[in-house]
Amino acid sequence: MLPELTPEQLHSRLQSGENIQLVDVRQPEEYAYCRIEGSELIPLGELARRADEVADDRPVVLICHHGVRSMQALAYLQHRHELTNLLNLRGGIHAWSLRVDPAVAVY
């Protein structure tokens, strides 16, 4: 089983000031429509060539629409780049919008 956290857990960790890298693996048009403040866009299709932009010295939370693409990104980074600091946002930005921040648009 791959490591994940709930939107509420992520919110709590961000509120406490934890230094977390947020990596959004959706497409640019999805990211332009809505995103979690402070997240960085690395579309899933670009991850292989941009993997060096993913931190290895602090927690990294991977984000997509519902949590499927981000889980694929997590598996790739774990297996190909041996990163052990990764978490998937369970339910993706959709769950974040519904359960943590209703100001983030739902689509």
Side-chain angles (χ1 to χ4, degrees):
M1 183 168 196
L2 297 173
E4 58 183 3
L5 77 169
T6 66
E8 294 86 356
Q9 289 168 324
L10 175 58
H11 184 255
S12 176
R13 290 173 74 166
L14 291 171
Q15 289 295 310
S16 74
E18 188 171 343
N19 184 16
I20 297 174
Q21 182 184 25
L22 303 175
V23 175
D24 194 316
V25 300
R26 297 175 300 148
Q27 291 301 303
E29 58 274 10
E30 292 175 284
Y31 183 81
Y33 184 70
C34 68
R35 64 187 158 274
I36 297 174
E37 186 177 336
S39 64
E40 305 168 42
L41 177 65
I42 304 177
L44 185 59
E46 298 178 13
L47 191 59
R49 67 181 169 80
R50 295 179 60 191
D52 61 330
E53 296 175 42
V54 178
D56 61 3
D57 60 346
R58 59 186 169 135
V60 175
V61 176
L62 296 155
I63 303 160
C64 70
H65 190 195
H66 289 290
V68 177
R69 285 175 282 176
S70 52
M71 190 63 82
Q72 292 171 335
L74 189 147
Y76 168 79
L77 291 166
Q78 273 189 342
H79 296 296
R80 295 294 178 113
H81 296 274
E82 300 180 349
L83 294 176
T84 59
N85 58 320
L86 309 169
L87 294 161
N88 183 53
L89 180 60
R90 186 183 311 149
I93 196 162
H94 184 80
W96 176 269
S97 299
L98 296 178
R99 295 164 40 187
V100 173
D101 187 356
V104 174
V106 174
Y107 67 102

